[in-house]
Amino acid sequence: MIHPVILCGGSGTRLWPLSRKDFPKQFTRLLGEDSLFQACAQRFRGAGFAPPLVLSNADFRFMALEQLGDLGIEQATVMLEPSARNTAPAVLAAALQLEAQGAGDELMLVAPSDHVIRDVPAFLAAIAAGEAAAQGGALVTFGIRPDRAETGYGYLELADAAACAAAAAAPVTRFVEKPDATTAEAMLAEGRFLWNAGIFLFRVADIIAAFETHAPDMLAPCRAAVAEAKPDLGFLRLDADAWDSVPEDSLDYAIMEKAAEVAAVPLECGWSDLGAWDAVWREMTPDEAGVSTSGSVTQIDCTDTLLRSEEDGPRLVGVNLKGIAAIAMRDAVLVADMTDLQAVKAAVTQMKAEGVREAETLPRTYRPWGWYETLALADRFQVKQIMVPPGKKLSLQSHVHRSEHWIVVKGTATVTVDEDVKLVTENQSVYIPLGAVHRLENPGKVNLHLIEVQTGAYLGEDDIIRYEDIYNRA
């Protein structure tokens, strides 16, 4: 039995403006109907795989659970990291949890949730090819056969070109950091280097033993974080005090580059980590002029260009563009040279330093009960659109600084205002006075949409006093 461990805590800032801190790329539908996270979970639904163990940031817990539920995956364990500590502590926590479940002699497969794998049968065949080595005690990683001199990936060096061409596990000679262009060209020509995909397969007991040898300072606090983990609405929340004392490091640096018995399985499966917009451009299959488009887009005489207008974005028109990535959303537009897309992360960092809201926050804010987005905001008033799926409800709450007016535009709402509970249907409205204890819920079969008009001296999201909340938010 192989236990999939899915890592989904990253932020994906190089794919700004679509991917942001409050809704990162793994949960977006970048390519196709499923999100990247859903596509990852789908790959491990066959025979021989246990239900997945998902490592998530607490902020994304309801996104992860809802997207798994949409796939009918009900038995997953979602473990919540109180803070981001990189991949080594996440993998160790997963291994310790599996050990506690009695799976110490079984295999765990660690996979990032934000990668694309086009040829799933080839990927599963590579996993099968690595099983024997992992059962024998090796720490197995997977390397992508390169088709270009890529400077955005780390590399794995094998003994010779024959090992890179084989479909079997082979010893890793060394790990190579992201190279410059000249070094990447030379490594591609040598034929004995693979891209480091960041996917791992090993026995639970073996990776724990590797931490005991190479990163012992992680072990005690991580054990404490797992031992003191608390169930919370179907999630497993790691102990925050213990977790915050775990040293931060990647699995490659902490373990893989130090361990003696490390093997790699060469892999050719249509893989991409979608690390920047040029990778998305390639995955969208450019036309004969090298142009990839999505959404409300018009292009004339463009070459080697990506044009995307995301949901609710404006009409995007490209004329005579060469080597440009342009991504338009309702609140932000990125225009960048295709040869310098790694600099998008630096632009996000600069916007954060300047206090620009769009650096990390989408216009649409997702909550466990649905979502809202601001349509207008000025001094002393704000207008929002709110969507609540069937069966969901907001917390029982009040506000100190604002009153609200709700107008139902689609569906039916059950509205509580102090002691009064009533149904509000389409084209009806209800007033929530300042200080009133109130709640909104959707008792129907269709999504509830309403317009909320707030008025008051202060309109921040922190002006909420919660009296009851089915999602256990503070």
Side-chain angles (χ1 to χ4, degrees), residues 154-189:
Y155 285 71
L156 309 170
E157 182 180 6
L158 304 189
D160 51 42
C164 284
V172 174
T173 302
R174 66 181 173 119
F175 288 72
V176 181
E177 294 295 317
K178 295 176 182 178
D180 58 31
T182 302
T183 304
E185 290 283 0
M187 291 194 298
L188 182 66

Side-chain angles (χ1 to χ4, degrees), residues 332-348:
V333 177
L334 169 71
V335 181
D337 190 311
M338 285 279 238
T339 64
D340 195 25
L341 288 169
Q342 297 295 327
V344 173
K345 183 176 182 179
V348 174

Side-chain angles (χ1 to χ4, degrees), residues 6-302:
I6 301 176
L7 308 179
C8 65
S11 58
T13 54
R14 290 182 179 87
L15 290 185
W16 186 92
L18 180 61
S19 175
R20 307 192 200 181
K21 181 181 178 181
D22 66 352
F23 200 82
K25 70 174 181 176
Q26 58 266 31
F27 297 111
T28 65
R29 288 167 175 83
L30 262 173
L31 303 166
E33 292 300 313
D34 288 340
S35 71
L36 299 176
F37 171 69
Q38 288 175 312
C40 179
Q42 289 275 44
R43 290 193 280 271
F44 308 128
R45 300 190 72 172
F49 289 105
L53 172 58
V54 177
L55 272 293
S56 173
N57 183 305
D59 292 340
F60 309 145
R61 63 195 187 279
F62 292 105
M63 295 182 199
L65 203 60
E66 182 176 345
Q67 292 197 0
L68 289 172
D70 289 344
L71 299 176
I73 299 175
E74 307 292 346
Q75 303 301 316
T77 298
V78 180
M79 182 179 287
L80 304 181
E81 301 175 75
S83 60
R85 312 303 294 165
N86 214 320
T87 53
V91 171
L92 178 56
L96 293 170
Q97 176 63 22
L98 291 171
E99 180 188 54
Q101 295 173 2
D105 290 329
E106 297 180 16
L107 297 177
M108 58 186 287
L109 175 70
V110 179
S113 61
D114 57 356
H115 292 184
V116 168
I117 292 177
R118 295 291 191 185
D119 189 345
V120 174
F123 174 65
L124 297 178
I127 292 172
E131 281 190 56
Q135 292 285 13
L139 306 182
V140 177
T141 186
F142 294 84
I144 309 301
R145 296 189 183 104
D147 57 10
R148 63 186 183 278
E150 176 62 58
T151 60
Y153 300 148
Y155 285 71
L156 309 170
E157 182 180 6
L158 304 189
D160 51 42
C164 284
V172 174
T173 302
R174 66 181 173 119
F175 288 72
V176 181
E177 294 295 317
K178 295 176 182 178
D180 58 31
T182 302
T183 304
E185 290 283 0
M187 291 194 298
L188 182 66
E190 287 184 40
R192 53 191 176 88
F193 293 88
L194 304 169
W195 292 336
N196 186 354
I199 303 170
F200 308 96
L201 179 69
F202 27 65
R203 286 196 315 153
V204 171
D206 292 332
I207 191 64
I208 294 174
F211 274 95
E212 290 172 344
T213 301
H214 302 292
D217 53 339
M218 289 189 186
L219 207 56
C222 210
R223 278 195 186 279
V226 173
E228 298 299 321
K230 298 292 190 295
D232 179 8
L233 290 179
F235 306 104
L236 187 61
R237 191 182 290 273
L238 292 166
D239 181 76
D241 291 338
W243 184 254
D244 287 343
S245 66
V246 180
E248 183 176 348
D249 207 349
S250 73
L251 187 66
D252 276 344
Y253 287 156
I255 302 298
M256 302 299 288
E257 295 185 10
K258 300 173 182 176
E261 195 172 351
V262 176
V265 177
L267 179 57
E268 197 166 356
C269 62
W271 172 90
S272 173
D273 73 342
L274 296 181
W277 282 112
D278 56 336
V280 177
W281 166 73
R282 280 189 292 270
E283 291 301 318
M284 290 173 61
T285 313
D287 63 18
E288 62 277 3
V291 178
S292 293
T293 63
S294 175
S296 181
V297 166
T298 298
Q299 72 91 12
I300 298 174
D301 296 333
C302 295

Side-chain angles (χ1 to χ4, degrees), residues 370-393:
W371 54 259
Y372 71 85
E373 57 182 307
T374 297
L375 304 179
L377 176 63
D379 184 39
R380 297 189 66 87
F381 83 88
Q382 180 170 206
V383 181
K384 289 181 177 179
Q385 178 185 186
I386 295 175
M387 192 284 289
V388 184
K392 297 295 182 72
K393 58 183 176 181

